Amino acid sequence: MGSERERVIPSKYIPEVGSHIETIDGKNYLISNDAMYTFYRRTKGEFSEFFLALRDEKRLLGCKCSRCGLVRVPPFLTHCPDCNFAPTKIIEVEQVGIMNSTPPITYFATSLFQHIAPYGRGRVIFKGADTAMSVLLYTTTGILVPGIIKKGTEVKLVFNDERIGNVADVFCVPTAELRKNQIEKKGLQRSEIDWESPVEPRLPAASAGDVAACREILKEMRSIIEEMNKNERARKDIAGWRRDILVKTRGAEFGIRIDDGNIRFNEKGPASPDFVMVCEDLRTLLDGLAYRGAITDSVINKKLWISKNMEFNTIFKLDRMARSIARSKKA
Ligand SMILES: [Zn+2]
Protein backbone atom coordinates (compact mmCIF):
# COMPACT_ATOMS: atom_id res chain seq x y z
CA MET A 1 0.00 0.00 0.00
CA GLY A 2 1.44 3.36 -1.00
CA SER A 3 -0.81 5.40 1.29
CA GLU A 4 0.96 7.96 3.44
CA ARG A 5 0.63 7.36 7.16
CA GLU A 6 0.07 10.23 9.53
CA ARG A 7 3.11 11.19 11.65
CA VAL A 8 3.21 11.83 15.38
CA ILE A 9 4.56 15.29 14.52
CA PRO A 10 2.85 16.64 11.37
CA SER A 11 5.42 17.58 8.74
CA LYS A 12 4.23 21.22 8.69
CA TYR A 13 5.66 21.60 12.19
CA ILE A 14 9.06 20.26 11.21
CA PRO A 15 11.33 23.15 10.12
CA GLU A 16 13.63 22.93 7.14
CA VAL A 17 17.38 22.56 7.50
CA GLY A 18 18.91 26.01 7.11
CA SER A 19 19.69 29.39 8.59
CA HIS A 20 18.96 33.04 8.03
CA ILE A 21 20.09 36.48 9.10
CA GLU A 22 18.09 38.69 11.40
CA THR A 23 19.13 42.33 11.68
CA ILE A 24 18.58 44.08 14.98
CA ASP A 25 19.77 47.70 15.44
CA GLY A 26 21.92 47.43 12.35
CA LYS A 27 23.76 44.30 13.51
CA ASN A 28 23.41 40.93 11.82
CA TYR A 29 22.63 37.81 13.82
CA LEU A 30 22.60 34.29 12.46
CA ILE A 31 19.55 32.16 13.24
CA SER A 32 19.56 28.45 12.47
CA ASN A 33 17.10 25.61 12.89
CA ASP A 34 18.09 22.77 15.18
CA ALA A 35 16.26 19.76 16.53
CA MET A 36 15.77 18.17 19.91
CA TYR A 37 14.01 14.81 19.90
CA THR A 38 11.51 13.90 22.59
CA PHE A 39 9.61 10.94 21.12
CA TYR A 40 8.54 8.30 23.55
CA ARG A 41 6.44 5.21 23.79
CA ARG A 42 4.30 4.49 26.76
CA THR A 43 2.03 1.72 27.86
CA LYS A 44 -1.53 2.13 29.05
CA GLY A 45 -0.71 -0.76 31.36
CA GLU A 46 -3.61 -2.09 33.42
CA PHE A 47 -5.89 0.59 31.91
CA SER A 48 -5.51 -0.98 28.47
CA GLU A 49 -8.90 -2.68 28.84
CA PHE A 50 -10.67 0.69 29.08
CA PHE A 51 -8.86 2.15 26.05
CA LEU A 52 -9.23 -1.02 23.97
CA ALA A 53 -12.98 -1.06 24.68
CA LEU A 54 -13.20 2.55 23.42
CA ARG A 55 -11.10 1.84 20.36
CA ASP A 56 -12.30 -1.57 19.22
CA GLU A 57 -15.76 -2.09 20.70
CA LYS A 58 -17.07 1.46 21.19
CA ARG A 59 -17.96 0.57 24.77
CA LEU A 60 -17.53 2.74 27.86
CA LEU A 61 -16.20 0.93 30.91
CA GLY A 62 -16.18 1.72 34.60
CA CYS A 63 -15.16 -0.17 37.70
CA LYS A 64 -17.48 -1.19 40.50
CA CYS A 65 -16.30 -1.66 44.06
CA SER A 66 -17.06 -5.18 45.30
CA ARG A 67 -17.93 -3.80 48.74
CA CYS A 68 -19.60 -0.33 48.50
CA GLY A 69 -20.81 -0.74 44.91
CA LEU A 70 -19.56 2.69 43.81
CA VAL A 71 -19.03 2.84 40.04
CA ARG A 72 -16.08 4.92 38.86
CA VAL A 73 -15.69 6.03 35.25
CA PRO A 74 -13.06 5.83 33.85
CA PRO A 75 -12.06 2.63 35.74
CA PHE A 76 -8.69 3.89 36.88
CA LEU A 77 -8.74 2.20 40.28
CA THR A 78 -8.32 -1.53 40.72
CA HIS A 79 -8.99 -1.28 44.46
CA CYS A 80 -11.44 1.00 46.31
CA PRO A 81 -9.69 3.48 48.63
CA ASP A 82 -12.93 3.94 50.61
CA CYS A 83 -13.31 0.23 51.46
CA ASN A 84 -9.91 -0.75 52.78
CA PHE A 85 -8.81 -1.47 49.19
CA ALA A 86 -11.47 -4.01 48.33
CA PRO A 87 -11.05 -5.08 44.68
CA THR A 88 -13.16 -3.48 41.95
CA LYS A 89 -14.52 -5.18 38.86
CA ILE A 90 -14.92 -3.84 35.34
CA ILE A 91 -18.49 -3.12 34.18
CA GLU A 92 -19.98 -1.34 31.21
CA VAL A 93 -21.93 1.93 31.65
CA GLU A 94 -24.35 3.74 29.34
CA GLN A 95 -23.35 6.32 26.76
CA VAL A 96 -25.76 9.08 27.78
CA GLY A 97 -25.04 11.29 30.76
CA ILE A 98 -25.58 14.63 32.47
CA MET A 99 -23.13 17.54 32.63
CA ASN A 100 -21.80 17.81 36.15
CA SER A 101 -20.77 21.45 35.66
CA THR A 102 -20.86 24.17 33.02
CA PRO A 103 -17.86 23.55 30.77
CA PRO A 104 -15.32 26.21 29.83
CA ILE A 105 -14.78 26.61 26.07
CA THR A 106 -11.31 26.82 24.57
CA TYR A 107 -11.18 29.07 21.51
CA PHE A 108 -7.45 29.81 21.38
CA ALA A 109 -5.68 26.50 21.87
CA THR A 110 -1.96 25.75 21.77
CA SER A 111 -0.66 24.34 18.49
CA LEU A 112 -1.20 20.79 19.80
CA PHE A 113 -4.96 21.31 20.11
CA GLN A 114 -5.60 24.00 17.51
CA HIS A 115 -7.03 21.53 15.01
CA ILE A 116 -9.80 20.48 17.43
CA ALA A 117 -10.70 23.99 18.72
CA PRO A 118 -13.08 25.50 19.63
CA TYR A 119 -14.07 22.79 22.07
CA GLY A 120 -15.66 22.54 25.47
CA ARG A 121 -14.15 20.41 28.16
CA GLY A 122 -16.33 19.33 31.03
CA ARG A 123 -17.32 16.53 33.36
CA VAL A 124 -20.15 14.13 32.61
CA ILE A 125 -21.83 11.56 34.87
CA PHE A 126 -22.88 8.75 32.55
CA LYS A 127 -25.92 6.61 33.43
CA GLY A 128 -24.74 3.79 35.63
CA ALA A 129 -21.75 5.75 36.94
CA ASP A 130 -21.25 7.57 40.23
CA THR A 131 -18.26 9.69 39.23
CA ALA A 132 -17.81 12.20 36.43
CA MET A 133 -15.59 11.67 33.41
CA SER A 134 -13.85 14.56 31.67
CA VAL A 135 -14.75 14.76 27.97
CA LEU A 136 -14.47 17.05 24.96
CA LEU A 137 -17.73 18.77 23.99
CA TYR A 138 -19.09 19.92 20.64
CA THR A 139 -22.31 21.15 19.10
CA THR A 140 -23.84 20.44 15.68
CA THR A 141 -25.61 23.82 15.64
CA GLY A 142 -22.70 25.90 14.33
CA ILE A 143 -20.08 27.60 16.44
CA LEU A 144 -19.79 26.42 20.06
CA VAL A 145 -20.70 29.42 22.23
CA PRO A 146 -21.48 29.73 25.95
CA GLY A 147 -25.00 28.64 26.85
CA ILE A 148 -25.34 25.65 24.51
CA ILE A 149 -23.95 23.17 27.05
CA LYS A 150 -24.51 23.88 30.73
CA LYS A 151 -24.58 22.11 34.06
CA GLY A 152 -27.47 19.63 33.83
CA THR A 153 -27.46 19.36 30.00
CA GLU A 154 -27.98 15.78 28.84
CA VAL A 155 -25.23 14.69 26.46
CA LYS A 156 -24.43 11.69 24.30
CA LEU A 157 -21.05 10.04 23.90
CA VAL A 158 -19.87 9.97 20.27
CA PHE A 159 -16.94 8.01 18.85
CA ASN A 160 -14.53 9.28 16.20
CA ASP A 161 -14.52 7.06 13.13
CA GLU A 162 -10.76 6.68 13.42
CA ARG A 163 -9.71 5.74 16.92
CA ILE A 164 -6.29 5.12 18.38
CA GLY A 165 -7.20 4.26 21.95
CA ASN A 166 -7.08 7.53 23.85
CA VAL A 167 -9.61 9.80 25.53
CA ALA A 168 -9.76 12.09 22.49
CA ASP A 169 -11.34 9.17 20.58
CA VAL A 170 -14.64 10.28 22.08
CA PHE A 171 -16.54 13.50 22.69
CA CYS A 172 -20.08 14.50 23.65
CA VAL A 173 -22.87 16.48 22.00
CA PRO A 174 -26.20 17.52 23.57
CA THR A 175 -28.87 14.83 23.13
CA ALA A 176 -31.29 17.66 22.22
CA GLU A 177 -29.43 17.89 18.89
CA LEU A 178 -29.84 14.19 18.04
CA ARG A 179 -32.65 11.92 16.89
CA LYS A 180 -34.09 9.28 19.21
CA ASN A 181 -32.43 6.37 17.41
CA GLN A 182 -29.06 8.17 17.56
CA ILE A 183 -29.41 8.75 21.29
CA GLU A 184 -30.25 5.09 21.84
CA LYS A 185 -27.52 3.72 19.60
CA LYS A 186 -24.49 2.35 21.37
CA GLY A 187 -21.24 3.37 19.69
CA LEU A 188 -22.67 6.28 17.69
CA GLN A 189 -19.97 7.58 15.34
CA ARG A 190 -19.09 11.12 14.28
CA SER A 191 -19.93 10.34 10.65
CA GLU A 192 -23.47 9.32 11.61
CA ILE A 193 -24.26 12.83 12.81
CA ASP A 194 -25.40 15.67 10.56
CA TRP A 195 -22.82 18.47 10.93
CA GLU A 196 -23.82 20.25 7.73
CA SER A 197 -27.23 21.72 8.47
CA PRO A 198 -27.09 23.94 11.54
CA VAL A 199 -30.02 26.31 11.96
CA GLU A 200 -29.09 29.81 10.86
CA PRO A 201 -30.13 32.69 13.09
CA ARG A 202 -33.03 34.55 11.46
CA LEU A 203 -32.45 38.07 10.31
CA PRO A 204 -35.16 40.68 10.72
CA ALA A 205 -36.55 42.13 7.49
CA ALA A 206 -34.47 44.98 6.11
CA SER A 207 -35.93 48.46 5.74
CA ALA A 208 -34.95 50.75 2.85
CA GLY A 209 -32.76 52.57 5.37
CA ASP A 210 -30.98 49.32 6.29
CA VAL A 211 -30.23 48.57 2.66
CA ALA A 212 -28.83 52.05 2.09
CA ALA A 213 -26.69 51.85 5.24
CA CYS A 214 -25.47 48.44 4.15
CA ARG A 215 -24.36 49.82 0.79
CA GLU A 216 -22.17 52.41 2.53
CA ILE A 217 -20.61 49.80 4.84
CA LEU A 218 -19.96 47.46 1.90
CA LYS A 219 -18.06 50.21 0.09
CA GLU A 220 -15.73 50.59 3.05
CA MET A 221 -15.43 46.84 3.50
CA ARG A 222 -14.55 46.32 -0.13
CA SER A 223 -11.71 48.84 0.06
CA ILE A 224 -10.33 47.22 3.25
CA ILE A 225 -10.37 43.80 1.56
CA GLU A 226 -8.62 45.25 -1.50
CA GLU A 227 -6.00 46.73 0.80
CA MET A 228 -5.53 43.33 2.48
CA ASN A 229 -5.10 41.72 -0.92
CA LYS A 230 -2.22 44.08 -1.72
CA ASN A 231 -0.49 43.76 1.64
CA GLU A 232 2.32 41.18 1.80
CA ARG A 233 2.01 40.66 5.53
CA ALA A 234 -1.74 40.08 5.32
CA ARG A 235 -1.34 37.77 2.33
CA LYS A 236 1.01 35.60 4.34
CA ASP A 237 -1.71 35.15 6.98
CA ILE A 238 -3.84 33.21 4.48
CA ALA A 239 -1.11 31.37 2.57
CA GLY A 240 -2.30 27.88 1.70
CA TRP A 241 -5.84 28.63 2.94
CA ARG A 242 -8.90 28.40 0.68
CA ARG A 243 -12.43 29.29 1.73
CA ASP A 244 -15.58 30.53 0.03
CA ILE A 245 -17.59 32.43 2.60
CA LEU A 246 -21.21 33.50 2.22
CA VAL A 247 -22.01 36.52 4.40
CA LYS A 248 -25.63 37.28 5.29
CA THR A 249 -26.65 40.47 6.99
CA ARG A 250 -29.76 42.59 7.34
CA GLY A 251 -29.97 44.21 3.93
CA ALA A 252 -27.35 42.31 1.92
CA GLU A 253 -25.73 39.02 0.97
CA PHE A 254 -22.24 38.77 -0.48
CA GLY A 255 -19.16 36.62 -0.70
CA ILE A 256 -15.60 36.72 0.59
CA ARG A 257 -13.17 34.40 -1.14
CA ILE A 258 -9.88 33.40 0.42
CA ASP A 259 -7.58 31.67 -2.03
CA ASP A 260 -4.00 30.95 -0.99
CA GLY A 261 -2.84 34.49 -0.23
CA ASN A 262 -5.57 36.22 -2.22
CA ILE A 263 -8.67 37.67 -0.66
CA ARG A 264 -11.57 39.03 -2.71
CA PHE A 265 -14.88 40.68 -2.06
CA ASN A 266 -17.68 39.36 -4.30
CA GLU A 267 -20.94 41.18 -4.86
CA LYS A 268 -22.62 37.81 -5.32
CA GLY A 269 -22.34 35.15 -2.63
CA PRO A 270 -21.00 31.70 -3.58
CA ALA A 271 -23.59 29.03 -4.48
CA SER A 272 -21.85 26.37 -2.42
CA PRO A 273 -19.95 28.17 0.34
CA ASP A 274 -17.54 26.41 2.71
CA PHE A 275 -19.39 28.11 5.52
CA VAL A 276 -21.96 30.82 6.21
CA MET A 277 -21.47 33.89 8.35
CA VAL A 278 -24.54 35.69 9.68
CA CYS A 279 -24.28 39.09 11.34
CA GLU A 280 -27.33 41.19 11.94
CA ASP A 281 -25.36 44.44 11.96
CA LEU A 282 -22.74 44.44 9.21
CA ARG A 283 -20.80 47.06 11.13
CA THR A 284 -19.66 44.25 13.44
CA LEU A 285 -17.75 42.59 10.61
CA LEU A 286 -16.54 45.91 9.21
CA ASP A 287 -15.12 46.94 12.58
CA GLY A 288 -13.30 43.61 12.85
CA LEU A 289 -11.74 43.90 9.40
CA ALA A 290 -10.78 47.50 10.17
CA TYR A 291 -9.02 46.40 13.38
CA ARG A 292 -11.53 48.12 15.66
CA GLY A 293 -12.19 45.06 17.80
CA ALA A 294 -11.63 41.38 17.06
CA ILE A 295 -14.07 39.35 14.94
CA THR A 296 -13.30 36.35 17.15
CA ASP A 297 -14.70 38.34 20.11
CA SER A 298 -17.86 39.08 18.15
CA VAL A 299 -18.28 35.33 17.50
CA ILE A 300 -17.80 34.46 21.16
CA ASN A 301 -20.20 37.26 22.17
CA LYS A 302 -22.79 35.95 19.69
CA LYS A 303 -22.87 39.10 17.55
CA LEU A 304 -21.66 37.10 14.58
CA TRP A 305 -22.62 33.51 13.88
CA ILE A 306 -20.73 30.97 11.76
CA SER A 307 -22.19 27.72 10.50
CA LYS A 308 -19.23 25.46 11.25
CA ASN A 309 -17.42 25.25 14.55
CA MET A 310 -14.00 24.51 13.05
CA GLU A 311 -14.19 27.63 10.84
CA PHE A 312 -13.28 29.65 13.91
CA ASN A 313 -9.80 29.12 12.45
CA THR A 314 -10.75 31.17 9.39
CA ILE A 315 -12.18 33.94 11.60
CA PHE A 316 -8.91 33.91 13.50
CA LYS A 317 -7.03 34.39 10.23
CA LEU A 318 -9.22 37.37 9.26
CA ASP A 319 -8.35 38.98 12.60
CA ARG A 320 -4.67 38.40 11.90
CA MET A 321 -5.00 40.07 8.51
CA ALA A 322 -6.62 43.11 10.13
CA ARG A 323 -3.73 43.25 12.59
CA SER A 324 -1.17 42.88 9.79
CA ILE A 325 -2.64 45.91 8.00
CA ALA A 326 -2.56 47.94 11.23
CA ARG A 327 1.07 46.94 11.81
CA SER A 328 2.11 47.80 8.27
CA LYS A 329 0.70 51.28 8.78
CA LYS A 330 2.70 51.71 11.98
CA ALA A 331 5.98 50.46 10.52
ZN1 LIG B 1 -15.79 0.76 47.89
Side-chain angles (χ1 to χ4, degrees):
M1 302 287 283
S3 72
E4 190 137 326
R5 292 185 62 186
E6 215 179 308
R7 299 286 159 192
V8 174
I9 297 179
S11 53
K12 67 175 173 181
Y13 295 123
I14 302 174
E16 285 166 3
V17 174
S19 56
H20 70 274
I21 300 271
E22 230 163 72
T23 309
I24 299 168
D25 296 333
K27 253 194 123 167
N28 286 346
Y29 296 92
L30 185 66
I31 316 280
S32 55
N33 293 332
D34 272 314
M36 188 167 73
Y37 296 97
T38 53
F39 298 104
Y40 62 99
R41 263 182 184 206
R42 56 179 172 156
T43 174
K44 296 280 202 285
E46 58 202 347
F47 308 131
S48 294
E49 193 175 354
F50 169 76
F51 291 108
L52 283 170
L54 278 190
R55 192 187 79 165
D56 300 339
E57 298 163 359
K58 293 188 282 179
R59 295 197 309 146
L60 181 61
L61 301 182
C63 63
K64 185 174 184 172
C65 171
S66 56
R67 198 166 301 165
C68 69
L70 191 87
V71 176
R72 295 178 170 93
V73 176
F76 291 172
L77 281 175
T78 54
H79 293 80
C80 180
D82 300 334
C83 300
N84 204 17
F85 298 100
T88 62
K89 95 173 191 286
I90 293 286
I91 61 157
E92 183 177 0
V93 298
E94 289 186 41
Q95 300 182 0
V96 170
I98 302 288
M99 292 305 306
N100 196 25
S101 56
T102 297
I105 302 171
T106 300
Y107 291 98
F108 307 102
T110 61
S111 60
L112 263 182
F113 300 105
Q114 225 164 48
H115 65 292
I116 60 167
Y119 57 84
R121 180 121 198 137
R123 293 164 65 79
V124 177
I125 300 183
F126 288 97
K127 281 181 197 164
D130 295 303
T131 65
M133 173 170 149
S134 179
V135 290
L136 289 170
L137 299 151
Y138 287 102
T139 177
T140 62
T141 59
I143 181 85
L144 182 63
V145 288
I148 295 177
I149 304 173
K150 298 186 281 250
K151 180 176 178 170
T153 302
E154 190 185 66
V155 293
K156 165 80 180 174
L157 190 71
V158 184
F159 292 77
N160 284 330
D161 292 62
E162 303 249 335
R163 298 180 299 280
I164 55 170
N166 85 32
V167 282
D169 282 349
V170 291
F171 59 92
C172 282
V173 298
T175 53
E177 297 175 13
L178 301 173
R179 294 191 306 272
K180 190 167 175 285
N181 62 329
Q182 290 178 315
I183 298 167
E184 284 167 359
K185 182 171 181 177
K186 207 155 91 174
L188 182 69
Q189 291 192 185
R190 178 188 285 265
S191 58
E192 293 174 278
I193 296 178
D194 181 7
W195 299 94
E196 298 291 325
S197 33
V199 181
E200 273 176 30
R202 290 180 88 178
L203 290 168
S207 65
D210 290 333
V211 175
C214 231
R215 211 171 294 144
E216 285 308 305
I217 296 171
L218 283 176
K219 238 188 259 170
E220 204 176 325
M221 195 176 287
R222 180 190 281 263
S223 84
I224 291 172
I225 289 175
E226 275 167 18
E227 192 182 351
M228 283 176 167
N229 199 49
K230 285 187 210 131
N231 183 285
E232 273 319 304
R233 217 188 277 212
R235 290 175 66 86
K236 258 192 201 157
D237 295 331
I238 47 167
W241 203 254
R242 287 182 179 82
R243 289 292 188 278
D244 258 333
I245 311 167
L246 172 61
V247 186
K248 294 183 178 178
T249 182
R250 189 164 55 166
E253 259 189 49
F254 58 95
I256 296 176
R257 168 172 277 189
I258 294 172
D259 186 11
D260 188 16
N262 295 303
I263 182 164
R264 298 252 185 260
F265 173 93
N266 287 317
E267 207 74 62
K268 209 168 163 290
S272 47
D274 293 304
F275 72 99
V276 180
M277 200 188 275
V278 178
C279 64
E280 195 176 318
D281 183 355
L282 192 54
R283 219 169 286 277
T284 306
L285 180 59
L286 174 70
D287 284 347
L289 294 172
Y291 202 54
R292 298 187 291 257
I295 314 172
T296 44
D297 284 345
S298 300
V299 173
I300 296 166
N301 297 329
K302 305 181 200 179
K303 285 186 196 150
L304 196 149
W305 178 87
I306 56 174
S307 60
K308 284 183 191 163
N309 191 54
M310 294 302 167
E311 293 299 344
F312 191 76
N313 270 319
T314 304
I315 301 300
F316 191 50
K317 284 177 193 289
L318 288 172
D319 272 339
R320 283 177 74 164
M321 294 179 89
R323 197 175 58 209
S324 290
I325 294 285
R327 282 195 180 158
S328 300
K329 280 182 182 155
K330 247 196 199 164

